[in-house]
Every structure is written in structure tokens, then in C-alpha cells.
Amino acid sequence: RKEVEQDPGPFNVPEGATVAFNCTYSNSASQSFFWYRQDCRKEPKLLMSVYSSGNEDGRFTAQLNRASQYISLLIRDSKLSDSATYLCVVSETGNQFYFGTGTSLTVIP
Amino acid sequence: DAGVIQSPRHEVTEMGQEVTLRCKPISGHDYLFWYRQTMMRGLELLIYFNNNVPIDDSGMPEDRFSAKMPNASFSTLKIQPSEPRDSAVYFCASNDPGTSGYNEQFFGPGTRLTVL
């Protein structure tokens, strides 16, 4: 069983739409949670951390549900520049990260 | 800071050849990670170092793979002999969670390896 599972998509949405991604993790002892963004043929970069209380950064909202062991990312008012692959990341102990395989998003004009 | 530096950016080699990938972490970062990314398996951790010491190499696929970190500013990942199934993008990442308590990993641009 994989540590982190994501729906690979692809998600194709029109500009201005709201889109949500979910991810589940297997280890209930996981401690830190993140969303990374990866553009085509580029390296992954941190989009945002996910806190237990939920957090928002502009058009992006991240939520954590520890009881159900899932993490979500909501993007409002999608822009063309949001087209990328979004990676769900979980850290259990220490400094070791587990990455999901990513969810592909294409925002269409 | 220039960020994490990797070389070469692209490598094409023939099956059976030795391949060496190089990484320079961000100065002051005491953790270094090697990942491999493929379409089928996503991003997989191969090995990581703390203060130049390998901590977990359980992700290294087999004995053909080896990694070293002779000093705080340099690491290598070697594949010998290489096989076509090793074709992937290899990323190096570094971080320093100790000082900030915030463990964002910073990735290099990756090495795209093709083994013919």
C-alpha cells in the first residue's frame, strides 16, 4: 500500500472555475503535510503547508482531516497559470517526505 | 543563494555504462535527499543524508546504485552498470529543519537520464 494516494486526474477546468483535489495517507502517525506544485519538466516547489486548523493563501485553501486521514486543496477562480501537477506530501517522523504521484490540472481559456 | 545545483541536466548513455549524477545543496542545509521520478511511480526517495552521513538508503533499488556525500557541499549518485529501466528524472533536494523548525525541501532542477 502506498503511503500517499492521489487521484491522478487529469482535471481540465475553465478559467474562473473552482477545483478541489484530495489525497489520502496511510500512516495515522504522520505529522506534517504539504502541497507542492510541479510545472512541466521542472522541479517540485512548495505551494503551501497544511495545518490542522486549515489554512488559506489567496485563492488556495488547504484542509487536513486527521480522523479520515485525508488532505485537500481547493483552488478558487482558476487561472491559466495554475496549470501544473499538484503533489500531496506527507512527513511521518524526522525529515523524510512521502510524495503522492500528483494530480494534473489544466485550466482552459 | 543559487539554490540546489545539479549536473548534468541531461544525460544520454548506453546500457552498461557508468553514470554519475552530481548535486550541490544550498549552503547551510544539513539534509540532502536523492529522488527519482517516473510517470509510473511518481517521486521516490532513494536515499538521504544528514550532516554527510547516510540515514536511510532503503529506497535505493539495488546494488547498482550508490550515493556518497564526501562533504557538506557535494554529493554524487552513481549507477553502475546502467540499464534502460533506470531512465528517469533524478532530483536532489536539501533542507535545514533544525534552525527554523520548518522543513520545506528545496529541489534542484533535476537530471534527465536516458539509458539506451
Side-chain angles (χ1 to χ4, degrees):
Chain A
R1 183 181 178 183
K2 287 188 176 180
E3 298 285 343
V4 180
E5 305 236 26
Q6 288 183 255
D7 179 351
F11 285 70
N12 299 312
V13 302
E15 266 187 296
T18 295
V19 61
F21 307 136
N22 290 325
C23 138
T24 59
Y25 60 94
S26 60
N27 189 341
S28 59
S30 297
Q31 298 180 354
S32 302
F33 309 89
F34 309 88
W35 284 99
Y36 274 65
R37 170 189 168 133
Q38 186 172 22
D39 292 304
C40 186
R41 303 180 78 85
K42 298 285 190 179
E43 70 273 24
K45 292 184 179 179
L46 179 68
L47 177 66
M48 59 196 302
S49 299
V50 186
Y51 303 122
S52 296
S53 55
N55 49 300
E56 188 174 307
D57 183 2
R59 298 181 293 106
F60 298 82
T61 300
Q63 297 275 357
L64 168 64
N65 185 318
R66 284 190 182 271
S68 301
Q69 294 179 211
Y70 81 77
I71 308 153
S72 65
L73 177 68
L74 183 77
I75 305 175
R76 292 181 300 277
D77 188 22
S78 299
K79 311 292 185 190
L80 296 178
S81 57
D82 294 335
S83 298
T85 295
Y86 291 84
L87 303 169
C88 175
V89 186
V90 171
S91 179
E92 296 176 353
T93 58
N95 198 19
Q96 187 165 339
F97 283 22
Y98 295 93
F99 285 76
T101 51
T103 298
S104 174
L105 171 67
T106 301
V107 181
I108 304 164
Chain B
D1 199 311
V4 177
I5 299 172
Q6 290 187 247
S7 65
R9 295 290 305 275
H10 302 272
E11 177 81 24
V12 180
T13 190
E14 292 187 345
M15 182 173 63
Q17 296 298 305
E18 177 179 296
V19 174
T20 299
L21 312 181
R22 297 174 176 79
C23 174
K24 179 181 180 352
I26 292 172
S27 177
H29 284 189
D30 53 6
Y31 280 83
L32 183 141
F33 305 80
W34 281 102
Y35 291 91
R36 176 173 69 177
Q37 187 174 40
T38 60
M39 288 293 291
M40 291 297 294
R41 301 172 68 89
L43 202 60
E44 301 173 283
L45 177 66
L46 300 176
I47 184 171
Y48 75 97
F49 296 83
N50 178 215
N51 291 320
N52 313 337
V53 176
I55 302 302
D56 185 348
D57 66 354
S58 60
M60 296 285 263
E62 48 197 275
D63 292 346
R64 297 184 298 107
F65 286 69
S66 62
K68 294 182 180 179
M69 192 165 185
N71 58 62
S73 59
F74 183 65
S75 177
T76 60
L77 178 68
K78 187 175 292 187
I79 308 172
Q80 166 63 18
S82 58
E83 297 182 2
R85 61 193 167 119
D86 301 331
S87 298
V89 180
Y90 291 80
F91 287 105
C92 176
S94 71
N95 73 356
D96 178 24
T99 53
S100 65
Y102 177 58
N103 55 350
E104 175 185 357
Q105 291 191 6
F106 295 84
F107 283 76
T111 295
R112 188 170 296 273
L113 174 65
T114 302
V115 183
L116 304 174

